[in-house]
Amino acid sequence: MISGKNYIGNTLSAKGKVTYTTFNPKLNIKNPWTFYEASEEELEEAVQMAAEAFELYSMVPGKQKAQFLRTIADKIESLGNELIDTYMKESGLPEGRAIGERGRTLGQLRMFANLLEEGDWVEASIDTAIPDRKPVPKPDLRKILTPIGPVVVFGSSNFPLAYSTAGGDTASALAAGCPVIVKSHPMHAGTGELVASAIVTAAKICGMPDGVFSNLNSSDIQVGQQLVKHPFVKAVGFTGSIAGGTALHKLSNERKEPIPVFAEMGSINPVVILPSALRENPQHLASTYADSITLGTGQFCTNPGLILTSETDGLDIFLESLGQEILNKEAGLMLHPDIHRKYEEGQKEMSVQEGTSVVAEYQKKTAPNYAKPKILTVAGRTFLTNTNLHNEVFGPFSLVVKCSDLEEMKNIIAELEGQLTGTIIGNEEELKVNAPLIAQLKERVGRLIFNGVPTGVEVCPSMVHGGPFPATTDSRFTAVGPDAIRRWVRPVSYQDWPDALLPDSLKNSNPLKILRRVNGKLTIESI
Amino acid sequence: MISGKNYIGNTLSAKGKVTYTTFNPKLNIKNPWTFYEASEEELEEAVQMAAEAFELYSMVPGKQKAQFLRTIADKIESLGNELIDTYMKESGLPEGRAIGERGRTLGQLRMFANLLEEGDWVEASIDTAIPDRKPVPKPDLRKILTPIGPVVVFGSSNFPLAYSTAGGDTASALAAGCPVIVKSHPMHAGTGELVASAIVTAAKICGMPDGVFSNLNSSDIQVGQQLVKHPFVKAVGFTGSIAGGTALHKLSNERKEPIPVFAEMGSINPVVILPSALRENPQHLASTYADSITLGTGQFCTNPGLILTSETDGLDIFLESLGQEILNKEAGLMLHPDIHRKYEEGQKEMSVQEGTSVVAEYQKKTAPNYAKPKILTVAGRTFLTNTNLHNEVFGPFSLVVKCSDLEEMKNIIAELEGQLTGTIIGNEEELKVNAPLIAQLKERVGRLIFNGVPTGVEVCPSMVHGGPFPATTDSRFTAVGPDAIRRWVRPVSYQDWPDALLPDSLKNSNPLKILRRVNGKLTIESI
């Protein structure tokens, strides 16, 4: 049952006066629940509790944290249809997507549980002493990754489960040993509360310290800002717009003690189509990309918003087919009227840029909050001189750039901002011949894709969901996959520390049987 | 021979009108060389060349980069006495230290060469495809660490070799595959030019692209600021003051594209003396710490500037002995008149703080630029209410805090800013009993030391030379040891990429025979 209250640690609380509701975009009506915006007092309490919980939670052994994450997953599963139903009412996303995203969320929690159970992730490193070394003795040094402190996680609009309350940021931070305070996304506060209740239940069952998790409701920006400014908060995870992410990043750097903010923000995910692909199978390519552009009504951070082509045989057929395919798609429901409004504004803003022309625009009448897919095209030389054309339009939209040749395409890539992904469509020979172009693209992205689509982000160790600014605020980390945990840890070194008092990972006997770097060599041997 | 010119890539250049000299603190006279401050034109040229060099240098195989680093080390060695002599004239440091620091510098370069030759550091990870997975096929994903782009390194005042021109930041950035532009420290511009000449010679011998390294002279802050603001610069390494580091960090975050700044700044390196140590051997402890406080005239970033004691038997003897030992030390020469002046100002500023009293102050007359070692003491309750007492005094100075009990000591630790190190003096039983106090200390430091001194930073994999702000701007990285390379790299993922065109580290056949994570398991097997 949704109460509309905040979780301050394990306790439901509604001390604030401001309330708000969520919205069902499909029915175009408000949902029945009333949510209480967290008050300053509640926020302060949540952060204080997180700081106190950190003292205990940072010491909890990996296997117990793993059990906590598994129990969270189980309790989310136990929410059953109520969760799926609420998710659909608050996002307009279909049941299949709801179930799929729940599966991804559970999978992520269990992946981090596995990581903790294996235990190697702490990167234990031991350099033993050489007491008789000249001119000075070498001390015994042992290093391990340790949690950074309480983390604030901002839920995303477009992944109510997998990148929100118990999503990748929360799962990785809890795995690291950091308490988490979620700033719940106002568009799906009910989904958020249900998931929060599962986390709180799991925390109680597993005997985790009260305050290891809190869930704060907020429909405005103050709660988020205050969280980022709070001296007890030590890191921030955010998934959302460039404006939102850069504002938080700026705020964190104005603190007396600046803290790391990992914000995953905007990306237009350039797709580079080399000549062979246009010549050989333009219709098939058009069909594949029409699917990718409209998948989930284009509401993925890896949506292909920019397609770079060159004037070669097949380009006209590709454009015509792409237009045709787009017109054959159904209009797609968007997450929220605000997001639909922004889509309409964004695509219109692009359409009025000089030199753009419409390849296809969905024409039929639609119900409220449904987006009309749209494809524009523009010449390479125009794109090069107008950076407005680099802007992301969040939704089923793509801009096809017709470059006069591959040299112009390379120049365009060199001018692009940082991106999550870059895709190359072509054959191996073209890849080889165009090495400098590919190298340019590589410098701008976190993930390079060959003959595929950028949508679809596999959760696995080799995934990089990140990239140079403004795709993220720190290209040295990924938001997806086990390495996402590295955002919330720092190394600490123990010098000449008594063996009995070292963390288990660093003890001579290697009681956890983990892989360690001992005097430079990886081994599971004891010392 | 020192020309006083900048190295813009491989070319000596002196287009600027501003000149300056370095200073011999021992003789208290100017050194004979005139240095030409880099002009805006030269700076622009250096950055442009670095950006162009990056396209080539980022592709250079590890073994060739290793050869480059080894050749740099050899060429620095070949500078022979001229380097040692210049170092001494520009820093006032003695010959033994000059030779030792040169050894450390060569050791660091060769350590990164070893790392590149082994090749595992790129953290290659491969997840192979599962084409028939339901509901969607799993793509082939392969991840590797890749250099971030041109790096600006600011030379430090106190390590003219090991943390300057070819020091740890430069060595790790070049190892990563990043071109380096050094902003030479004005106090030892001649030493810097000599080392730069060795790097340039090595770059030519090894056929590295012109622009892979530049060395810019500057006696003021503009050159450094312009470098940090330049859009082609992608990361910054800095060792110096809190004011300098935070200013650059702020500047980097005001860029259109914020970039990572790793600044290693200030630390007072708290030493916690538990009761047993005071009771059992106060004289020995005093002697050990008198040595550590005055080592290198206190000009180490790990100098113990704060000693926390409690009112127990032995405290008076410890203080008396410490005072006596300090009075028996020789006055120490400082690096530069400016640093000496700041030391005098800093220790006076501390001495006038209410509640402080002098334990010992060197009384004899000294030659110019020699620092008089000094020890102050203050009550714990006074320290708790006056944050001025937390300030670093760079030089042979330490403040002994007399806490009424260990509870007050814990409260003091809880109020401390981030530090490079924290030291505990005591026995194992006390460590166990005072676990919460130790846990507090751990949260504030990068390295914990038991029954030792913080001075002496071992270069090895388990070293953490870093720590929470303001010790550094990002506690998630270390400035010393092989992991220092991680500051300059980001992961990039290849999806369904043709095997022949993958980086060697990711090819099926594993031609480099490196350790890779294949479907989650570490192996050197091919696929």
Side-chain angles (χ1 to χ4, degrees), chain B residues 142-171:
Chain B
R142 303 183 182 216
K143 183 166 79 169
I144 195 184
L145 295 177
T146 191
I148 201 166
V151 172
V152 167
V153 170
F154 286 77
S156 74
S157 67
N158 60 340
F159 278 94
L161 290 173
Y163 275 82
S164 289
T165 324
D169 289 351
T170 298

Side-chain angles (χ1 to χ4, degrees), chain A residues 219-441:
Chain A
S219 61
D220 210 331
I221 57 172
Q222 284 81 6
V223 166
Q225 288 178 339
Q226 280 163 26
L227 284 170
V228 173
K229 285 195 280 189
H230 199 293
F232 289 175
V233 168
K234 298 300 180 191
V236 176
F238 170 91
T239 308
S241 68
I242 293 182
T246 50
L248 294 180
H249 186 238
K250 203 166 146 58
L251 209 57
S252 76
N253 283 308
E254 287 163 8
R255 290 168 52 116
K256 188 177 164 226
E257 177 197 356
I259 53 171
V261 170
F262 186 86
E264 194 245 280
M265 303 182 290
S267 187
I268 51 175
N269 302 294
V271 177
V272 171
I273 305 185
L274 295 173
S276 71
L278 288 181
R279 274 198 307 269
E280 284 158 24
N281 210 344
Q283 285 101 339
H284 177 70
L285 188 61
S287 161
T288 304
Y289 268 84
D291 287 351
S292 179
I293 292 163
T294 56
L295 188 71
T297 319
Q299 300 170 116
F300 288 116
C301 27
T302 52
N303 189 61
L306 180 69
I307 298 174
L308 303 178
T309 63
S310 59
E311 299 275 9
T312 37
D313 294 349
L315 176 58
D316 293 343
I317 304 173
F318 170 72
L319 278 175
E320 202 188 311
S321 307
L322 182 62
Q324 206 55 56
E325 293 276 353
I326 286 289
L327 293 179
N328 290 339
K329 296 280 171 200
E330 292 298 314
L333 180 57
M334 296 202 87
L335 295 157
H336 193 273
D338 288 352
I339 288 185
H340 180 250
R341 180 178 47 77
K342 277 189 194 152
Y343 171 68
E344 285 299 328
E345 288 168 7
Q347 63 89 351
K348 272 180 198 142
E349 184 61 30
M350 288 299 239
S351 308
V352 299
Q353 300 297 315
E354 210 176 310
T356 59
S357 58
V358 175
V359 175
E361 181 170 21
Y362 187 88
Q363 291 298 345
K364 283 176 260 179
K365 203 170 146 50
T366 60
N369 311 319
Y370 279 75
K372 300 177 175 183
K374 187 165 184 174
I375 308 287
L376 292 184
T377 186
V378 72
R381 63 183 177 282
T382 310
F383 187 85
L384 262 175
T385 56
N386 181 359
T387 54
N388 289 332
L389 294 169
H390 301 204
N391 292 343
E392 181 180 3
V393 178
F394 190 72
F397 170 90
S398 202
L399 173 65
V400 181
V401 179
K402 297 192 218 177
C403 305
S404 57
D405 53 28
L406 295 184
E407 189 57 30
E408 188 176 79
M409 194 187 272
K410 183 171 170 248
N411 295 338
I412 285 174
I413 293 169
E415 295 296 322
L416 286 179
E417 295 80 12
Q419 309 286 343
L420 292 170
T421 71
T423 303
I424 304 272
I425 311 287
N427 60 39
E428 212 173 307
E429 186 54 33
E430 281 173 310
L431 221 59
K432 208 183 295 178
V433 174
N434 294 290
L437 182 150
I438 313 289
Q440 282 285 2
L441 187 63

Side-chain angles (χ1 to χ4, degrees), chain A residues 61-71 73 104-122 171-172 174-176 459-461 481-483 485 512-514, chain B residues 517 519-521:
Chain A
K63 291 207 162 76
Q64 282 179 43
K65 285 188 290 179
Q67 195 48 45
F68 178 34
L69 295 182
R70 288 195 194 285
T71 310
R104 185 185 184 94
T105 308
L106 306 180
Q108 289 174 162
L109 286 158
R110 288 165 183 155
M111 173 187 77
F112 284 110
N114 289 340
L115 194 75
L116 295 174
E117 281 158 358
E118 286 163 14
D120 302 347
W121 74 275
V122 296
S172 56
L174 288 177
V459 183
C460 68
D483 283 350
I485 200 171
L512 304 178
K513 304 279 171 252
I514 59 172
Chain B
R517 196 169 287 278
N519 296 320
K521 297 285 166 216

